[in-house]
Amino acid sequence: MALATGGALLLTLGTATGSQAATGTLTYVRADTGSTATIDNPSDQFCYFMSNALSAHNGTNSTATFYADSFCDPGQFLGAAQPGEGITFGSARTMSVRFG
């Protein structure tokens, strides 16, 4: 019984520490409306849809990596912004971002 309880505790601790989140806000300008949108305290390694962004400012404490598709495909890499950095995408619009 102690072995089963210890195993369950290990699984619980493993999943509790497996998911990290960046602290802060990514702010971006939407190409379709020109309005500003945000992603607050994003989870690391999760792919976020950005709705065709023109530019972004990474106000989080994690690296933001941007992609031209909606699925964070590494083959569609556009650029990255370190914490506190801004990025402009030019003619290529970004559709997704991943942190971490």
Side-chain angles (χ1 to χ4, degrees):
M1 181 69 161
L3 182 58
T5 304
L9 179 61
L10 181 59
L11 288 175
T12 303
L13 291 175
T15 57
T17 60
S19 178
Q20 300 293 320
T23 301
T25 301
L26 177 86
T27 305
Y28 63 97
V29 177
R30 293 177 52 150
D32 58 346
T33 63
S35 64
T36 301
T38 61
I39 299 172
D40 296 316
N41 300 318
S43 296
D44 282 347
Q45 304 309 315
F46 182 83
C47 184
Y48 290 88
F49 180 71
M50 291 183 64
S51 187
N52 205 10
L54 296 168
S55 62
H57 181 267
N58 184 8
T60 74
N61 63 348
S62 184
T63 300
T65 305
F66 301 94
Y67 303 90
D69 73 330
S70 300
F71 308 104
C72 297
D73 177 1
Q76 299 292 316
F77 172 80
L78 288 177
Q82 298 300 315
E85 289 184 341
I87 187 169
T88 301
F89 302 107
S91 62
R93 302 291 195 270
T94 190
M95 295 297 288
S96 60
V97 61
R98 178 172 283 151
F99 296 84

